[in-house]
Amino acid sequence: MTQSPSLSSQFLLRLCEMQASAWSRLVESFSPIVYAWCRRAGLPGHDAADVVQDVFATVARKIHQFDHQRPGASFSAWLATITRTRLADFFRRRTGQPQATGGSDALAWLQAVPDLEHDEDSRSQFQAKLIGRVLEMVEEEFEPRTWQAFRMTAIENRSAAEVAQQLSISIASVYQARCRVLRRLKQRLGELPQ
């Protein structure tokens, strides 16, 4: 019996087919994380933005080589490896150019990108950042009152009755709002490569 592909594998297939909507969602979801890694490696904003572009250009060229079915394979670890490689390329190109005073060792900069394949804490931090980014994207899809009901119950852990009273809506509407946003969040996260 053949298994139907998971949402994540369907998303990867769409990436391999170079579908613009899949690429847009991938870049929108992951680029703030890659940018933060580059900044943590000591790059100023404009250089970090250039490296982020290089990272996603590499991902586009090599996405068909990513084997998500390999035991232990993780898109986030693969992305971190590509980021470290692009940072190394950046520092190599910069060798011979005048350095700012107090420059740091390039190895220390490269180590600022977490090892998501072997470090559970780094993996957890990455997941938290990704969930936060997807939450920001999902928020735009809902009316402000729906989002407030979700945020107040799911994130702030307030009671449905309290939220209903504060937002002047029924308790059932609070539960419905929470359910709709959670369903959409799970869908969006499930679509992304793991």
Side-chain angles (χ1 to χ4, degrees):
M1 172 190 259
T2 58
Q3 280 187 313
S4 62
S6 70
L7 287 176
S8 181
S9 63
Q10 289 175 1
F11 188 81
L12 284 170
L13 178 63
R14 291 176 44 218
L15 291 173
C16 288
E17 293 172 349
M18 296 297 171
Q19 292 184 10
S21 62
W23 279 101
S24 178
R25 180 160 319 141
L26 182 84
V27 170
E28 191 175 352
S29 300
F30 289 96
S31 64
I33 296 168
V34 174
Y35 181 82
W37 289 341
C38 292
R39 296 288 289 159
R40 195 172 339 149
L43 297 184
H46 64 281
D47 287 337
D50 289 345
V51 172
V52 169
Q53 287 182 345
D54 289 345
V55 166
F56 284 99
T58 302
V59 170
R61 282 192 312 274
K62 297 187 176 202
I63 191 68
H64 65 281
Q65 296 173 0
F66 175 65
D67 181 9
H68 70 284
Q69 294 180 340
R70 180 180 53 85
S74 157
F75 180 80
S76 55
W78 186 67
L79 184 63
T81 299
I82 290 172
T83 303
R84 274 192 296 279
T85 302
R86 292 301 135 239
L87 281 167
D89 292 346
F90 173 84
F91 290 125
R92 234 185 327 277
R93 284 191 306 268
R94 221 168 108 173
T95 301
Q97 296 180 1
Q99 298 292 315
T101 56
S104 300
D105 180 32
L107 177 61
W109 289 342
L110 293 176
Q111 290 172 341
V113 178
D115 181 0
L116 299 177
E117 194 167 355
H118 300 103
D119 183 0
E120 184 63 38
D121 287 340
S122 293
R123 210 171 15 256
S124 295
Q125 289 173 4
F126 176 86
Q127 287 296 334
K129 286 180 183 177
L130 181 60
I131 289 169
R133 180 65 187 131
V134 173
L135 271 169
E136 290 173 6
M137 293 165 48
V138 167
E139 179 179 0
E140 297 170 3
E141 299 179 30
F142 291 95
E143 294 293 323
R145 185 177 286 176
T146 301
W147 183 258
Q148 284 178 312
F150 162 76
R151 181 182 43 77
M152 293 166 80
T153 57
I155 298 173
E156 296 173 7
N157 212 20
R158 294 167 62 182
S159 73
E162 177 186 359
V163 172
Q165 182 179 13
Q166 186 170 346
L167 297 178
S168 300
I169 58 176
S170 69
I171 293 175
S173 295
V174 171
Y175 284 122
Q176 184 180 26
R178 179 184 167 123
C179 182
R180 286 180 54 220
V181 174
L182 281 173
R183 184 173 48 243
R184 188 65 170 150
L185 179 61
K186 284 180 183 179
Q187 177 189 7
R188 289 289 188 187
L189 286 170
E191 290 171 348
L192 294 174
Q194 299 300 313

